[in-house]
């Protein structure tokens, strides 16, 4: 048996369910029970560490975990504040998308951060932003309830994570400047090109396959032979569609894996250009072999 691979994921919070689903869809069978912090896969040499998201970059950097799933915002903040954090993002996972942004009270006339007091849970990133933009401002680190600080007189504005904007609206705040976009990422202690463990590389390929399948669709349709070129152009993100002759003369079936969403507007355009019997199906998994994941030469 090969070395067990350890993956650190968030124990509770907004990343947990999506992280768990990604692992299960990648073929890793495991269960989480109560307060247990370690889950062992029943079918693969994989252990799952269930920890605080703030601990994941450190665990990966120290080699306690081979891989981790964490928000880009957490990785960036810890990398900025702690030189011992060497973990690197090796794969964007496409879920838990949000942005780190500045927000102010809806009735505030604030237009600049200059000489203002900013409350945030991300002091390292805010400090970097201010330094790069030559802005002099005071930063107050707040671990929770950042939205309240302008109304209790602690800060002029805040810098916090925003997804739908509902929390800002509920607290009478409005966004006025974005610092960075964020989403969940897969992290490793080294760049993907330097990973020599073939089992880890194969596991990353599985993750990539699940992610690629999330937005991909398999499209099948029939068309006249003189419409092939135009129809293939309309298929979003299709890589060399398959053309199959049909029994009826001058008719073909076109099959394509589309790496981008297929909207109703796309289907209507296909029909207008001669397509018929259009069928769009979900894709569960895609496995692409890429030079990015080729293990380095000895």
């Amino acid at each position: 048996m090969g070395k067990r691979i350890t993956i650190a994921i968030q124990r509770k919070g907004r990343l947990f369910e999506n992280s768990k689903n990604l692992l299960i869809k990648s073929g890793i069978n495991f269960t989480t029970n109560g307060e247990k912090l370690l889950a062992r896969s029943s079918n693969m040499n994989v252990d799952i560490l269930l920890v605080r998201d703030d601990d994941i970059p450190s665990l990966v950097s120290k080699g306690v975990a081979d891989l981790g799933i964490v928000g880009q915002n957490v990785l960036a903040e810890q990398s900025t504040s702690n030189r011992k954090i060497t973990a690197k993002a090796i794969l964007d996972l496409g879920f838990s998308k949000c942005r780190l942004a500045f927000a102010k009270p809806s009735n505030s006339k604030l237009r600049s951060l200059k000489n203002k007091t900013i409350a945030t849970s991300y002091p390292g990133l805010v400090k970097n932003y201010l330094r790069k933009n030559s802005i002099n401002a005071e930063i107050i680190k707040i671990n929770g309830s950042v939205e309240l600080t302008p109304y209790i007189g602690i800060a002029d504005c805040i810098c916090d994570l925003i997804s739908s904007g509902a929390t800002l609206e509920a607290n009478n705040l409005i966004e006025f400047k974005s610092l960075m976009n964020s989403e969940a990422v897969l992290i490793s202690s080294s760049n993907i090109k330097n990973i020599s463990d073939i089992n880890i590389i194969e596991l990353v390929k599985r993750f990539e396959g699940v992610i690629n399948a999330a937005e991909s669709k398999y499209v099948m349709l029939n068309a006249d032979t003189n419409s092939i070129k135009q129809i293939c152009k309309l298929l979003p993100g299709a890589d060399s569609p398959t053309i199959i002759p049909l029994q009826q003369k001058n008719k073909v079936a076109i099959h394509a894996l589309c790496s981008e969403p297929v909207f109703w507007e796309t289907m209507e355009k296909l029909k207008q250009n001669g397509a018929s019997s259009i069928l769009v199906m979900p894709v569960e998994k895609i496995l692409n072999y890429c030079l990015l994941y080729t293990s380095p030469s000895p």
Side-chain angles (χ1 to χ4, degrees):
M1 296 179 65
K3 169 186 174 292
R4 295 191 72 84
I5 298 171
T6 303
I7 306 172
I9 67 171
Q10 188 181 42
R11 181 182 168 203
K12 295 177 181 178
R14 63 191 186 91
L15 267 70
F16 171 70
E17 287 297 334
N18 283 324
S19 299
K20 181 181 177 181
N21 290 338
L22 173 63
L23 299 182
I24 291 173
K25 287 181 179 180
S26 299
I28 303 172
N29 296 334
F30 70 101
T31 57
T32 56
N33 298 314
E35 298 300 312
K36 288 183 65 175
L37 303 180
L38 174 66
R40 290 184 176 271
S41 171
S42 60
N43 67 322
M44 295 179 66
N45 283 348
V46 174
D47 292 333
I48 313 298
L49 296 181
L50 299 149
V51 296
R52 284 168 45 95
D53 60 345
D54 289 346
D55 293 332
I56 294 175
S58 177
L59 291 172
V60 172
S61 297
K62 293 176 180 178
V64 176
D66 300 292
L67 300 170
I69 297 176
V70 72
Q72 283 176 310
N73 55 295
V74 173
L75 177 61
E77 173 64 24
Q78 295 204 9
S79 297
T80 299
S81 307
N82 187 349
R83 292 182 179 180
K84 293 182 179 180
I85 301 299
T86 57
K88 299 173 178 62
I90 60 173
L91 187 65
D92 295 340
L93 299 179
F95 57 81
S96 295
K97 292 186 177 182
C98 56
R99 60 194 175 279
L100 185 61
F102 295 95
K104 63 181 180 179
S106 55
N107 61 356
S108 172
K109 296 181 179 179
L110 183 152
R111 294 186 178 182
S112 168
L113 295 171
K114 186 177 180 181
N115 298 323
K116 297 299 185 290
T117 301
I118 307 163
T120 184
S121 300
Y122 301 90
L125 290 173
V126 174
K127 183 178 179 180
N128 266 4
Y129 176 87
L130 296 175
R131 185 177 66 249
K132 289 178 181 177
N133 291 277
S134 301
I135 299 172
N136 181 39
E138 181 183 357
I139 300 170
I140 299 177
K141 182 179 180 182
I142 302 290
N143 292 324
S145 303
V146 178
E147 295 85 2
L148 288 175
T149 57
Y151 293 101
I152 57 178
I154 294 178
D156 298 299
C157 61
I158 69 170
C159 186
D160 203 15
L161 286 184
I162 299 171
S163 50
S164 67
T167 303
L168 289 186
E169 185 177 352
N171 288 278
N172 296 313
L173 296 169
I174 54 173
E175 179 183 350
F176 69 95
K177 192 181 295 290
S178 179
L179 193 153
M180 69 172 288
N181 291 322
S182 178
E183 65 180 279
V185 291
L186 183 70
I187 64 174
S188 166
S189 61
S190 61
N191 189 288
I192 188 66
K193 293 182 180 179
N194 296 325
I195 294 176
S196 58
D197 190 323
I198 189 64
N199 294 315
I200 293 178
I201 293 171
E202 291 298 326
L203 193 56
V204 174
K205 288 179 183 176
R206 287 195 183 193
F207 294 154
E208 188 178 37
V210 173
I211 296 159
N212 288 341
E215 288 289 343
S216 297
K217 300 294 180 184
Y218 194 77
V219 179
M220 297 188 294
L221 57 85
N222 295 342
D224 294 328
T225 52
N226 58 10
S227 301
I228 293 175
K229 187 174 181 180
Q230 184 59 31
I231 286 175
C232 288
K233 285 182 179 180
L234 292 171
L235 293 170
D239 182 17
S240 188
T242 301
I243 311 297
I244 307 169
L246 296 178
Q247 184 179 24
Q248 186 176 346
K249 191 176 180 181
N250 297 326
K251 281 279 189 180
V252 295
I254 300 177
H255 292 193
L257 177 64
C258 296
S259 59
E260 300 171 19
V262 179
F263 299 108
W264 282 106
E265 291 81 1
T266 304
M267 296 178 67
E268 289 164 355
K269 287 181 181 179
L270 288 169
K271 185 176 180 181
Q272 291 168 6
N273 282 272
S276 62
S277 302
I278 305 170
L279 180 62
V280 180
M281 298 186 297
V283 177
E284 184 176 348
K285 300 177 183 71
I286 300 173
L287 187 58
N288 290 325
Y289 285 86
C290 175
L291 288 176
L292 180 63
Y293 298 129
T294 302
S295 55
S297 302

